[in-house]
Amino acid sequence: MTNIKDVAERAGVSASTVSRVLSGKSCVNEETRRKVLDAVRVLDYSPNVLAKSLKMGHSNTIALMVPSIENTIFPAIARGVEDTARKNGYTVVLCNTDEDVDVEKEYITKLRTRWIDGFIVASMLPNSDHIRRLWEEGFPVVLTSRYYGDPVDAVVVDNFQAAYNAVSYLIRTGHRQIALALGRKELPFYAERWEGYRAALEDGGLPYDERLVVHETNGTNSFYHLTKQLVKGPVKPDAIFATSDPKAIVVMRALHDCGLRIPEDVSVLGFDNAYISSLIEPPLSTVSQPLYDMGVIAAKKLIRRIRSKEDKSLYEPPSVEVMPTDLIIRKSTR
Amino acid sequence: MTNIKDVAERAGVSASTVSRVLSGKSCVNEETRRKVLDAVRVLDYSPNVLAKSLKMGHSNTIALMVPSIENTIFPAIARGVEDTARKNGYTVVLCNTDEDVDVEKEYITKLRTRWIDGFIVASMLPNSDHIRRLWEEGFPVVLTSRYYGDPVDAVVVDNFQAAYNAVSYLIRTGHRQIALALGRKELPFYAERWEGYRAALEDGGLPYDERLVVHETNGTNSFYHLTKQLVKGPVKPDAIFATSDPKAIVVMRALHDCGLRIPEDVSVLGFDNAYISSLIEPPLSTVSQPLYDMGVIAAKKLIRRIRSKEDKSLYEPPSVEVMPTDLIIRKSTR
DNA sequence: CTGAAAGCGCTTACAG
DNA sequence: CTGAAAGCGCTTACAG
């Protein structure tokens, strides 16, 4: 690979000058500028970013930490992040953690020694002090789809309100026995949806009945048996609100296999608006999150925060961006 | 961040010595070794990978180039790649290209100036000379799910055979009017599946009828109208083979909306075995590709190729790994 | 406006 | 076995 000295030599100037015209920060005589640019073109030179990073103390690289890129919501978020990063000259490193604290830590130390500029983290359990330490040190971090009230940048959705609205809709459309297919409740966003469900029930004058709350036991597929048990149990649901679309789809299959019609016998409402949800039969009613846009905003916030370390005028106190959700009614609810 | 000099000072040795004990390549007196290790521990030192990369000429980073991480098959491949990379001390940069040549080129030059160690590319049209140039220069590349006969490492699936088997199965189970829902035929793997379809028809003694081949016009959703047209047309299919699961799901919806039962009136067979396929109603029969494993193997091949540049004993000529596919029969075929 | 020099944090031949 | 020195390819204060 050709380096800055080659260019300098060819242009008949010093390396400093080449660096100056390329950075564009200092004044350079127009003529020498042209000579340098010519040399750059002829030699097809592009500066070694590694050397630059070493000198400058930043790498124009950000990390995206997700539990698993295979989970429904993360590809869209990742795409939003990457598109935005690329447009701003940043590169993104993908980290799957399975929410494993050791993997998270390993990534954090490894990437920091590479002078990563910041983290977008969607993989964080409430008491993750190793992540918390990051922003306490002043390291750029933005949380996405996870947030626990810390003074840190975040991009989230109002899970409580979204669930509240969804369940209120079911009540308003005449459902009286609304079950909940609830994901792992250690994950706060599921806990929040659960609270929204309870609040909506209460405000709608419906009793909260533990027997209608189905807790995930062993992965998404566990809802197949759990749903079958539910509908054969003592209290029959006339609607099931699932805390994610994949869960809703499993629920629908179980219902179908029990000979129940959707939505005539039981309505089903999901959460996420996964790509597939509009394509299945019946098309799934669901709460949509603006996943791609969440990725975009998270990346923008992070880049702004990174840049504000150099340029204090860009500084803003940490803030959390609450993105709108949307209740999309298709054919799985009556 | 603490650096090698801090450690050297604390241990009372030179930076060279610290470097030596950390690399473990040269002999170091056991006692000084211990002192260094102690200092490392006390100071919680981890070497700056950037500086190391600059010196060594490699970065322990690989790039994964996909059309879009939002497409069904890529999250699983990406996960396989990333897991394997991490276990081997590599970090992975995610690149979405939308098959746009300019974006591909931009990424290639940008990442090379960062001394990326290699590329796994799943985004490549047949005449992509900028990618071809990479391995011609001796740069480590492995192709995945795309391959055009070049002398380069690749991990693929036998699309022709997989489609041949799928269609043969349909013929064997009594279908006589087998339609094909075909993706963009500029993409060779779709073209190959098309050929497999034709060959199976021919070997099964069935005529090839252009009217049964439905070409994608405008995204996956276009199959909704195309399928409706097809079933209202002059030649009625008794089975539809879709070249991807999302297409199959759209086809199923269209069929359903036309009042046709699956599989009683029309069988539907997909390709990919996407996560969702077993969950929908009826569960989709499909051709499964070992996506995660393809990612694993691609990463292993790439890392081996990278290491073989240092250690000639690891060298092997480029080879293409053909992964097995599996015909999974569920309930969408009779 | 421009060049020589120092330095970012490492590694490794070269001496000893 | 160990240290001083050079160098990976940049950038930027310091002189001029």
Side-chain angles (χ1 to χ4, degrees):
Chain A
M1 295 238 91
T2 118
N3 64 25
I4 199 169
K5 277 190 189 167
D6 301 331
V7 179
E9 192 169 342
R10 172 144 200 134
V13 300
S14 73
S16 329
T17 303
V18 175
S19 176
R20 285 197 192 93
V21 350
L22 259 25
S23 81
K25 276 182 238 159
S26 352
C27 298
V28 180
N29 175 21
E30 189 50 36
E31 167 126 19
T32 65
R33 197 180 123 77
R34 262 222 350 279
K35 283 194 296 185
V36 169
L37 259 19
D38 278 351
V40 166
R41 190 163 333 103
V42 175
L43 299 176
D44 191 24
Y45 167 69
S46 29
N48 181 326
V49 184
L50 234 42
K52 184 170 178 171
S53 301
L54 179 60
K55 183 70 190 162
M56 306 291 267
H58 59 241
S59 62
N60 285 292
T61 302
I62 61 177
L64 172 63
M65 242 166 63
V66 295
S68 175
I69 192 67
E70 294 191 80
N71 291 173
T72 355
I73 66 168
F74 296 119
I77 291 180
R79 188 69 214 256
V81 168
E82 202 263 340
D83 284 356
T84 310
R86 176 158 43 82
K87 279 182 202 140
N88 288 278
Y90 285 80
T91 258
V92 1
V93 166
L94 176 65
C95 315
N96 295 290
T97 67
D98 290 323
E99 315 258 15
D100 181 326
V101 174
D102 291 329
V103 175
E104 291 173 7
K105 283 183 182 163
E106 184 192 325
Y107 260 124
I108 289 172
T109 64
K110 182 168 149 186
L111 292 173
R112 291 195 64 174
T113 65
R114 244 167 244 245
W115 292 359
I116 197 107
D117 291 338
F119 286 90
I120 293 179
V121 357
S123 159
M124 181 186 181
L125 267 12
N127 50 356
S128 290
D129 287 329
H130 53 292
I131 296 178
R132 205 159 265 121
R133 217 169 298 133
L134 235 35
W135 67 74
E136 284 171 359
E137 281 180 34
F139 203 83
V141 173
V142 0
L143 260 31
T144 182
S145 86
R146 306 282 169 104
Y147 179 66
Y148 312 113
D150 301 86
V152 63
D153 287 310
V155 180
V156 297
V157 120
D158 188 339
N159 288 293
F160 174 90
Q161 193 62 47
Y164 182 93
N165 293 347
V167 175
S168 297
Y169 172 83
L170 290 174
I171 297 174
R172 212 176 324 125
T173 48
H175 301 85
R176 287 295 166 266
Q177 306 281 342
I178 303 170
L180 178 68
L182 181 64
R184 296 167 51 204
K185 52 184 174 296
E186 317 81 274
L187 295 176
F189 58 90
Y190 284 138
E192 287 159 25
R193 291 172 200 176
W194 188 10
E195 284 168 33
Y197 163 83
R198 298 171 76 143
L201 251 30
E202 183 167 348
D203 290 355
L206 257 31
Y208 173 75
D209 186 340
E210 269 294 358
R211 293 170 301 176
L212 283 170
V213 179
V214 179
H215 296 271
E216 174 170 341
T217 50
N218 186 18
T220 304
N221 277 301
S222 62
F223 285 103
Y224 185 76
H225 293 293
L226 293 169
T227 303
K228 282 192 163 180
Q229 268 172 239
L230 175 69
V231 299
K232 284 178 187 143
V235 12
K236 314 283 183 201
D238 56 9
I240 303 181
F241 174 41
T243 54
S244 78
D245 281 359
K247 293 179 189 58
I249 291 171
V250 176
V251 164
M252 284 169 73
R253 234 174 79 53
L255 256 19
H256 182 272
D257 289 355
C258 289
L260 262 14
R261 292 161 307 162
I262 304 164
E264 294 80 354
D265 301 318
V266 185
S267 290
V268 177
L269 185 60
F271 204 113
D272 287 342
N273 195 26
Y275 168 65
I276 220 68
S277 306
S278 63
L279 304 180
I280 58 173
E281 184 48 46
L284 182 64
S285 296
T286 189
V287 175
S288 93
Q289 307 192 54
L291 298 169
Y292 181 87
D293 290 341
M294 288 170 74
V296 171
I297 306 251
K300 282 188 177 163
K301 273 178 108 77
L302 184 66
I303 290 169
R304 190 185 175 99
R305 172 98 17 227
I306 291 166
R307 292 192 172 148
S308 77
K309 293 180 88 169
E310 303 265 273
D311 179 355
K312 298 298 177 195
S313 73
L314 252 34
Y315 180 83
E316 284 175 4
S319 63
V320 1
E321 183 99 15
V322 180
M323 305 289 286
T325 56
D326 201 13
L327 183 58
I328 299 184
I329 299 305
R330 292 197 272 244
K331 300 279 176 60
S332 65
T333 43
R334 64 169 162 78
Chain B
M1 294 238 89
T2 118
N3 65 25
I4 199 168
K5 277 190 189 167
D6 301 331
V7 179
E9 192 169 342
R10 172 145 198 133
V13 299
S14 73
S16 329
T17 302
V18 175
S19 176
R20 285 198 191 95
V21 350
L22 258 25
S23 81
K25 275 183 240 160
S26 351
C27 297
V28 181
N29 175 22
E30 189 51 36
E31 166 126 19
T32 64
R33 198 181 123 78
R34 262 220 351 275
K35 283 193 299 186
V36 169
L37 258 20
D38 278 352
V40 166
R41 192 165 331 106
V42 175
L43 298 175
D44 191 25
Y45 168 70
S46 29
N48 182 327
V49 184
L50 234 43
K52 185 170 178 171
S53 300
L54 179 60
K55 183 69 190 165
M56 306 291 268
H58 59 241
S59 63
N60 285 293
T61 302
I62 62 176
L64 172 62
M65 243 166 63
V66 295
S68 175
I69 192 66
E70 293 191 80
N71 290 174
T72 356
I73 66 167
F74 296 119
I77 292 180
R79 189 67 215 258
V81 168
E82 202 263 340
D83 284 356
T84 310
R86 175 157 44 81
K87 280 183 202 139
N88 287 279
Y90 286 80
T91 258
V92 1
V93 166
L94 176 66
C95 315
N96 295 290
T97 67
D98 291 323
E99 315 260 13
D100 180 327
V101 174
D102 290 331
V103 175
E104 290 174 7
K105 283 185 182 164
E106 185 192 324
Y107 261 124
I108 289 172
T109 64
K110 182 168 149 188
L111 292 173
R112 290 195 65 173
T113 65
R114 243 167 244 242
W115 291 0
I116 196 106
D117 292 336
F119 286 91
I120 293 180
V121 357
S123 159
M124 182 188 180
L125 267 12
N127 51 354
S128 289
D129 287 330
H130 53 293
I131 295 179
R132 204 160 267 122
R133 218 170 297 134
L134 236 34
W135 68 73
E136 284 171 359
E137 282 181 33
F139 203 83
V141 173
V142 0
L143 259 32
T144 183
S145 86
R146 306 282 169 104
Y147 178 67
Y148 312 113
D150 301 85
V152 63
D153 286 310
V155 180
V156 296
V157 120
D158 188 340
N159 287 293
F160 174 90
Q161 192 62 47
Y164 182 93
N165 293 347
V167 175
S168 297
Y169 171 84
L170 290 174
I171 297 173
R172 210 175 327 124
T173 48
H175 301 85
R176 288 295 167 264
Q177 306 280 340
I178 303 169
L180 178 68
L182 181 65
R184 296 167 50 204
K185 53 184 174 293
E186 318 81 273
L187 296 176
F189 57 90
Y190 284 138
E192 288 158 25
R193 292 173 199 176
W194 189 10
E195 283 168 33
Y197 162 84
R198 298 171 76 143
L201 251 32
E202 184 167 346
D203 291 355
L206 257 32
Y208 174 75
D209 186 340
E210 268 293 358
R211 293 170 301 177
L212 284 170
V213 178
V214 179
H215 296 269
E216 174 170 342
T217 50
N218 186 18
T220 304
N221 278 301
S222 61
F223 285 103
Y224 186 76
H225 293 293
L226 293 170
T227 303
K228 282 193 162 179
Q229 268 170 241
L230 175 69
V231 300
K232 284 178 189 142
V235 13
K236 314 282 184 202
D238 56 9
I240 303 181
F241 174 41
T243 54
S244 77
D245 282 359
K247 293 179 188 60
I249 291 172
V250 176
V251 164
M252 284 169 73
R253 233 174 81 54
L255 256 20
H256 181 272
D257 289 354
C258 289
L260 262 14
R261 292 161 308 162
I262 303 164
E264 293 79 355
D265 300 318
V266 185
S267 289
V268 177
L269 185 60
F271 203 112
D272 285 343
N273 194 25
Y275 168 66
I276 220 67
S277 306
S278 63
L279 304 180
I280 59 173
E281 185 48 47
L284 182 64
S285 297
T286 189
V287 175
S288 93
Q289 308 192 55
L291 298 169
Y292 181 87
D293 290 341
M294 289 170 74
V296 170
I297 306 253
K300 282 188 178 164
K301 274 179 107 78
L302 184 66
I303 290 169
R304 190 184 175 98
R305 171 100 16 231
I306 291 166
R307 292 192 173 148
S308 77
K309 293 180 88 171
E310 302 266 274
D311 178 357
K312 298 299 178 194
S313 73
L314 254 35
Y315 180 82
E316 285 174 4
S319 63
V320 1
E321 183 99 15
V322 180
M323 304 290 286
T325 56
D326 200 13
L327 184 58
I328 299 184
I329 298 306
R330 290 197 274 243
K331 301 281 176 61
S332 65
T333 44
R334 63 166 164 79

